[in-house]
Amino acid sequence: MAQLEHLSPSTAKQYHKCGRQVFFRKVQGLPDNTKYAVTQYGSAMHEANEEFFNHKLEGKLLSLIDYKDLFIQKYGYLADLTTIWKADTKEHLLGEGLKAAEEFYNMWGTNLRPQEVEHEYHIERPNGGWPIKCFTDLTTVNGTVLDYKYGRGFGGVQAGDFALAMSTYAEGYRQEHGNIPKVGILKHNWKRSKGLYYFAGFDLEFLPIDE
């Protein structure tokens, strides 16, 4: 029987929620064909940010128009794969995404200086323990690890909900760079009106992680 080759923060969180889901997806490799609209939206934002900061690593600052075009391209493709829309529409989320892209570009994109983008960490564990593999969204030159959260919900996204993942990223960073970084969640906020969600700005929330 196939088995897991490594652990990740997402797998650990998924196992805590539903062990069978981990078995079917991670061990047996069954595909997940359920695609929620807001998940596809978040993935498009992540992919646009990744490409934007990779350009910046190469010394190229994309214009706001080019950055918005990245989101349009990524979201246009992923939206067509969506299977569950609920109250959302493709046009509504596209419009909110363009608002979010403009604020992200002006507040964060032009100011953050990337050191690593979508960087993969391998953390070896003693006594035959499964190694841990994880990816960070962005690491800046001043030693800050950031994770983007574009999900939504009535209670909003709380940084403490991701303490396991962020402490794992901090350990991966420490093993490579020799010190514990600052770690934070860059949150995409939403407000709700008449069944639809609307972009409501960004918040940056740090977690108190140390040795």
Side-chain angles (χ1 to χ4, degrees), residues 117-154:
V117 179
E118 286 295 321
H119 185 67
E120 181 177 339
Y121 290 120
H122 286 271
I123 303 174
E124 297 298 327
R125 301 172 69 211
N127 304 319
W130 275 325
I132 296 172
K133 183 169 73 172
C134 58
F135 292 85
T136 56
D137 289 336
L138 180 69
T139 303
T140 68
V141 295
N142 68 346
T144 299
V145 174
L146 295 177
D147 201 43
Y148 313 128
K149 294 300 176 189
Y150 296 108
R152 68 186 184 205
F154 293 110

CSV table of all heavy atoms in Angstrom, one decimal, residues 117-154:
chain,number,residue,atom,x,y,z
A,117,VAL,N,10.4,33.5,-3.0
A,117,VAL,CA,9.0,33.4,-3.4
A,117,VAL,C,8.6,32.0,-3.6
A,117,VAL,O,9.3,31.2,-4.3
A,117,VAL,CB,8.8,34.2,-4.7
A,117,VAL,CG1,7.4,34.1,-5.2
A,117,VAL,CG2,9.2,35.7,-4.6
A,118,GLU,N,7.6,31.6,-2.9
A,118,GLU,CA,7.1,30.2,-3.0
A,118,GLU,C,8.3,29.2,-2.7
A,118,GLU,O,8.6,28.3,-3.4
A,118,GLU,CB,6.5,29.9,-4.3
A,118,GLU,CG,5.1,30.4,-4.5
A,118,GLU,CD,4.1,29.8,-3.5
A,118,GLU,OE1,4.1,28.6,-3.2
A,118,GLU,OE2,3.2,30.6,-3.0
A,119,HIS,N,9.0,29.5,-1.6
A,119,HIS,CA,10.2,28.8,-1.3
A,119,HIS,C,9.8,27.5,-0.6
A,119,HIS,O,9.0,27.5,0.3
A,119,HIS,CB,11.1,29.6,-0.4
A,119,HIS,CG,12.4,29.0,-0.1
A,119,HIS,ND1,13.4,28.7,-1.1
A,119,HIS,CD2,13.0,28.5,1.0
A,119,HIS,CE1,14.4,28.2,-0.6
A,119,HIS,NE2,14.2,28.0,0.7
A,120,GLU,N,10.5,26.4,-0.9
A,120,GLU,CA,10.2,25.1,-0.3
A,120,GLU,C,11.3,24.8,0.8
A,120,GLU,O,12.5,24.9,0.5
A,120,GLU,CB,10.3,24.0,-1.4
A,120,GLU,CG,10.0,22.6,-0.9
A,120,GLU,CD,10.0,21.5,-2.0
A,120,GLU,OE1,9.8,21.9,-3.2
A,120,GLU,OE2,10.2,20.4,-1.6
A,121,TYR,N,10.7,24.4,1.9
A,121,TYR,CA,11.6,24.0,3.1
A,121,TYR,C,11.4,22.5,3.3
A,121,TYR,O,10.3,22.0,3.3
A,121,TYR,CB,11.2,24.8,4.3
A,121,TYR,CG,11.5,26.2,4.3
A,121,TYR,CD1,10.5,27.2,4.5
A,121,TYR,CD2,12.8,26.7,4.2
A,121,TYR,CE1,10.8,28.5,4.5
A,121,TYR,CE2,13.1,28.0,4.2
A,121,TYR,CZ,12.1,29.0,4.4
A,121,TYR,OH,12.4,30.3,4.4
A,122,HIS,N,12.6,21.9,3.6
A,122,HIS,CA,12.6,20.5,4.0
A,122,HIS,C,13.1,20.4,5.4
A,122,HIS,O,14.2,20.9,5.7
A,122,HIS,CB,13.5,19.6,3.1
A,122,HIS,CG,12.9,19.4,1.7
A,122,HIS,ND1,12.1,18.3,1.4
A,122,HIS,CD2,13.0,20.1,0.6
A,122,HIS,CE1,11.7,18.3,0.2
A,122,HIS,NE2,12.2,19.4,-0.4
A,123,ILE,N,12.4,19.9,6.3
A,123,ILE,CA,12.8,19.8,7.7
A,123,ILE,C,12.9,18.3,8.1
A,123,ILE,O,11.9,17.6,8.1
A,123,ILE,CB,11.7,20.5,8.6
A,123,ILE,CG1,11.5,21.9,8.2
A,123,ILE,CG2,12.1,20.4,10.1
A,123,ILE,CD1,10.4,22.6,9.0
A,124,GLU,N,14.1,17.9,8.3
A,124,GLU,CA,14.4,16.5,8.7
A,124,GLU,C,14.0,16.3,10.2
A,124,GLU,O,14.2,17.2,11.0
A,124,GLU,CB,15.8,16.1,8.5
A,124,GLU,CG,16.2,16.2,7.0
A,124,GLU,CD,15.5,15.2,6.1
A,124,GLU,OE1,15.1,14.1,6.6
A,124,GLU,OE2,15.2,15.5,5.0
A,125,ARG,N,13.5,15.1,10.5
A,125,ARG,CA,13.1,14.8,11.9
A,125,ARG,C,13.9,13.6,12.4
A,125,ARG,O,14.2,12.7,11.6
A,125,ARG,CB,11.6,14.6,12.0
A,125,ARG,CG,10.8,15.8,11.5
A,125,ARG,CD,9.3,15.5,11.4
A,125,ARG,NE,8.8,15.3,12.7
A,125,ARG,CZ,7.8,14.5,13.0
A,125,ARG,NH1,7.2,13.8,12.0
A,125,ARG,NH2,7.3,14.4,14.2
A,126,PRO,N,14.3,13.6,13.6
A,126,PRO,CA,15.1,12.5,14.2
A,126,PRO,C,14.3,11.2,14.4
A,126,PRO,O,13.1,11.2,14.3
A,126,PRO,CB,15.6,13.1,15.5
A,126,PRO,CG,14.5,14.0,15.9
A,126,PRO,CD,14.0,14.6,14.7
A,127,ASN,N,15.0,10.1,14.6
A,127,ASN,CA,14.4,8.8,15.0
A,127,ASN,C,13.5,8.3,13.9
A,127,ASN,O,12.4,7.7,14.3
A,127,ASN,CB,13.8,8.9,16.3
A,127,ASN,CG,14.7,9.4,17.4
A,127,ASN,OD1,15.9,9.0,17.5
A,127,ASN,ND2,14.2,10.3,18.3
A,128,GLY,N,13.8,8.6,12.7
A,128,GLY,CA,12.9,8.0,11.6
A,128,GLY,C,11.6,8.7,11.4
A,128,GLY,O,10.7,8.1,10.7
A,129,GLY,N,11.4,9.9,12.0
A,129,GLY,CA,10.2,10.6,11.8
A,129,GLY,C,10.0,11.1,10.4
A,129,GLY,O,11.0,11.3,9.7
A,130,TRP,N,8.8,11.1,9.9
A,130,TRP,CA,8.6,11.6,8.6
A,130,TRP,C,9.2,13.1,8.4
A,130,TRP,O,9.0,13.9,9.3
A,130,TRP,CB,7.1,11.7,8.3
A,130,TRP,CG,6.4,10.5,7.8
A,130,TRP,CD1,7.0,9.5,7.0
A,130,TRP,CD2,5.1,10.0,8.1
A,130,TRP,NE1,6.1,8.5,6.8
A,130,TRP,CE2,4.9,8.8,7.4
A,130,TRP,CE3,4.0,10.6,8.8
A,130,TRP,CZ2,3.7,8.1,7.5
A,130,TRP,CZ3,2.9,9.9,8.9
A,130,TRP,CH2,2.7,8.6,8.3
A,131,PRO,N,9.9,13.3,7.3
A,131,PRO,CA,10.3,14.7,7.1
A,131,PRO,C,9.1,15.6,6.8
A,131,PRO,O,8.0,15.1,6.5
A,131,PRO,CB,11.2,14.6,5.9
A,131,PRO,CG,10.7,13.3,5.2
A,131,PRO,CD,10.3,12.4,6.2
A,132,ILE,N,9.3,16.9,7.0
A,132,ILE,CA,8.3,17.9,6.8
A,132,ILE,C,8.7,18.7,5.6
A,132,ILE,O,9.8,19.1,5.4
A,132,ILE,CB,8.1,18.8,8.0
A,132,ILE,CG1,7.6,17.9,9.2
A,132,ILE,CG2,7.1,19.9,7.7
A,132,ILE,CD1,7.6,18.7,10.5
A,133,LYS,N,7.7,18.9,4.7
A,133,LYS,CA,7.9,19.7,3.5
A,133,LYS,C,6.8,20.8,3.5
A,133,LYS,O,5.7,20.5,3.7
A,133,LYS,CB,7.8,18.9,2.2
A,133,LYS,CG,8.1,19.8,1.0
A,133,LYS,CD,8.3,18.9,-0.3
A,133,LYS,CE,7.0,18.3,-0.8
A,133,LYS,NZ,7.2,17.6,-2.1
A,134,CYS,N,7.2,22.0,3.3
A,134,CYS,CA,6.3,23.1,3.2
A,134,CYS,C,6.8,24.2,2.3
A,134,CYS,O,8.0,24.3,2.0
A,134,CYS,CB,6.0,23.7,4.6
A,134,CYS,SG,7.5,24.3,5.5
A,135,PHE,N,5.8,25.1,1.9
A,135,PHE,CA,6.2,26.2,1.0
A,135,PHE,C,5.7,27.5,1.7
A,135,PHE,O,4.6,27.6,2.2
A,135,PHE,CB,5.4,26.0,-0.3
A,135,PHE,CG,5.9,24.9,-1.2
A,135,PHE,CD1,5.4,23.6,-1.0
A,135,PHE,CD2,6.9,25.1,-2.2
A,135,PHE,CE1,5.8,22.6,-1.8
A,135,PHE,CE2,7.3,24.0,-3.0
A,135,PHE,CZ,6.8,22.8,-2.8
A,136,THR,N,6.6,28.5,1.6
A,136,THR,CA,6.2,29.8,2.1
A,136,THR,C,5.8,30.7,0.9
A,136,THR,O,6.4,30.6,-0.2
A,136,THR,CB,7.3,30.5,2.8
A,136,THR,OG1,8.5,30.6,2.0
A,136,THR,CG2,7.7,29.7,4.1
A,137,ASP,N,4.8,31.5,1.1
A,137,ASP,CA,4.3,32.4,0.0
A,137,ASP,C,5.4,33.5,-0.3
A,137,ASP,O,5.7,33.7,-1.5
A,137,ASP,CB,3.0,33.1,0.4
A,137,ASP,CG,1.8,32.2,0.4
A,137,ASP,OD1,1.9,31.1,-0.3
A,137,ASP,OD2,0.8,32.4,1.1
A,138,LEU,N,5.9,34.1,0.7
A,138,LEU,CA,6.9,35.2,0.5
A,138,LEU,C,7.8,35.4,1.7
A,138,LEU,O,7.3,35.4,2.9
A,138,LEU,CB,6.2,36.5,0.2
A,138,LEU,CG,7.1,37.7,0.0
A,138,LEU,CD1,7.8,37.6,-1.4
A,138,LEU,CD2,6.3,39.0,0.0
A,139,THR,N,9.1,35.5,1.5
A,139,THR,CA,10.0,35.9,2.5
A,139,THR,C,10.7,37.1,2.1
A,139,THR,O,11.2,37.3,0.9
A,139,THR,CB,11.1,34.8,2.7
A,139,THR,OG1,10.5,33.5,3.0
A,139,THR,CG2,12.1,35.2,3.8
A,140,THR,N,10.8,38.1,2.9
A,140,THR,CA,11.3,39.4,2.6
A,140,THR,C,12.8,39.5,3.0
A,140,THR,O,13.3,38.7,3.8
A,140,THR,CB,10.5,40.6,3.2
A,140,THR,OG1,10.7,40.5,4.6
A,140,THR,CG2,9.0,40.4,2.9
A,141,VAL,N,13.5,40.5,2.5
A,141,VAL,CA,14.9,40.7,2.8
A,141,VAL,C,15.2,41.0,4.2
A,141,VAL,O,16.3,40.9,4.7
A,141,VAL,CB,15.5,41.7,1.8
A,141,VAL,CG1,15.5,41.3,0.4
A,141,VAL,CG2,14.9,43.1,2.0
A,142,ASN,N,14.2,41.5,4.9
A,142,ASN,CA,14.4,41.9,6.4
A,142,ASN,C,14.0,40.7,7.3
A,142,ASN,O,13.9,40.9,8.5
A,142,ASN,CB,13.6,43.1,6.7
A,142,ASN,CG,12.1,42.9,6.7
A,142,ASN,OD1,11.6,41.9,6.2
A,142,ASN,ND2,11.3,43.8,7.3
A,143,GLY,N,13.9,39.5,6.7
A,143,GLY,CA,13.7,38.3,7.6
A,143,GLY,C,12.2,38.1,8.0
A,143,GLY,O,12.0,37.8,9.2
A,144,THR,N,11.3,38.4,7.2
A,144,THR,CA,9.9,38.2,7.5
A,144,THR,C,9.2,37.2,6.6
A,144,THR,O,9.4,37.3,5.4
A,144,THR,CB,9.1,39.6,7.4
A,144,THR,OG1,9.6,40.5,8.4
A,144,THR,CG2,7.6,39.4,7.8
A,145,VAL,N,8.5,36.2,7.1
A,145,VAL,CA,7.8,35.2,6.4
A,145,VAL,C,6.4,35.6,6.4
A,145,VAL,O,5.7,35.7,7.4
A,145,VAL,CB,8.0,33.8,6.9
A,145,VAL,CG1,7.2,32.8,6.2
A,145,VAL,CG2,9.5,33.4,6.8
A,146,LEU,N,5.8,35.8,5.1
A,146,LEU,CA,4.4,36.2,5.0
A,146,LEU,C,3.6,35.1,4.3
A,146,LEU,O,4.1,34.4,3.4
A,146,LEU,CB,4.3,37.5,4.2
A,146,LEU,CG,4.9,38.7,4.9
A,146,LEU,CD1,4.7,39.9,3.9
A,146,LEU,CD2,4.2,39.0,6.2
A,147,ASP,N,2.4,34.9,4.8
A,147,ASP,CA,1.5,33.9,4.2
A,147,ASP,C,0.2,34.7,3.8
A,147,ASP,O,-0.4,35.4,4.6
A,147,ASP,CB,1.1,32.8,5.2
A,147,ASP,CG,0.6,31.6,4.5
A,147,ASP,OD1,1.2,31.2,3.5
A,147,ASP,OD2,-0.4,31.0,5.0
A,148,TYR,N,-0.2,34.5,2.5
A,148,TYR,CA,-1.5,35.2,2.1
A,148,TYR,C,-2.7,34.4,2.5
A,148,TYR,O,-2.7,33.2,2.3
A,148,TYR,CB,-1.5,35.4,0.6
A,148,TYR,CG,-0.2,35.9,0.0
A,148,TYR,CD1,0.4,35.3,-1.1
A,148,TYR,CD2,0.4,37.1,0.5
A,148,TYR,CE1,1.6,35.8,-1.7
A,148,TYR,CE2,1.6,37.6,-0.1
A,148,TYR,CZ,2.2,36.9,-1.2
A,148,TYR,OH,3.3,37.4,-1.7
A,149,LYS,N,-3.7,35.1,2.9
A,149,LYS,CA,-5.0,34.4,3.2
A,149,LYS,C,-6.1,35.2,2.5
A,149,LYS,O,-6.4,36.3,3.0
A,149,LYS,CB,-5.2,34.3,4.7
A,149,LYS,CG,-4.3,33.4,5.4
A,149,LYS,CD,-4.3,31.9,4.9
A,149,LYS,CE,-3.2,31.1,5.5
A,149,LYS,NZ,-3.1,29.8,4.8
A,150,TYR,N,-6.7,34.6,1.5
A,150,TYR,CA,-7.8,35.3,0.8
A,150,TYR,C,-9.1,34.6,1.0
A,150,TYR,O,-10.1,35.0,0.3
A,150,TYR,CB,-7.4,35.3,-0.7
A,150,TYR,CG,-6.2,36.1,-1.1
A,150,TYR,CD1,-5.0,35.4,-1.5
A,150,TYR,CD2,-6.2,37.5,-1.0
A,150,TYR,CE1,-3.9,36.2,-1.7
A,150,TYR,CE2,-5.0,38.2,-1.3
A,150,TYR,CZ,-3.9,37.5,-1.7
A,150,TYR,OH,-2.7,38.2,-1.9
A,151,GLY,N,-9.2,33.7,1.9
A,151,GLY,CA,-10.4,33.1,2.2
A,151,GLY,C,-11.4,34.0,2.9
A,151,GLY,O,-11.0,35.1,3.3
A,152,ARG,N,-12.6,33.6,3.2
A,152,ARG,CA,-13.6,34.4,3.8
A,152,ARG,C,-14.5,33.6,4.7
A,152,ARG,O,-14.5,32.4,4.7
A,152,ARG,CB,-14.5,35.1,2.7
A,152,ARG,CG,-15.4,34.1,2.0
A,152,ARG,CD,-16.1,34.8,0.9
A,152,ARG,NE,-17.0,33.9,0.3
A,152,ARG,CZ,-17.5,34.0,-1.0
A,152,ARG,NH1,-17.0,35.0,-1.7
A,152,ARG,NH2,-18.3,33.1,-1.4
A,153,GLY,N,-15.2,34.3,5.6
A,153,GLY,CA,-16.1,33.6,6.5
A,153,GLY,C,-16.7,34.6,7.5
A,153,GLY,O,-16.2,35.8,7.6
A,154,PHE,N,-17.7,34.2,8.2
A,154,PHE,CA,-18.3,35.1,9.1
A,154,PHE,C,-17.4,35.6,10.2
A,154,PHE,O,-17.5,36.8,10.6
A,154,PHE,CB,-19.6,34.5,9.7
A,154,PHE,CG,-20.6,34.2,8.7
A,154,PHE,CD1,-20.9,32.9,8.3
A,154,PHE,CD2,-21.3,35.2,8.1
A,154,PHE,CE1,-21.9,32.6,7.3
A,154,PHE,CE2,-22.3,35.0,7.1
A,154,PHE,CZ,-22.6,33.7,6.8
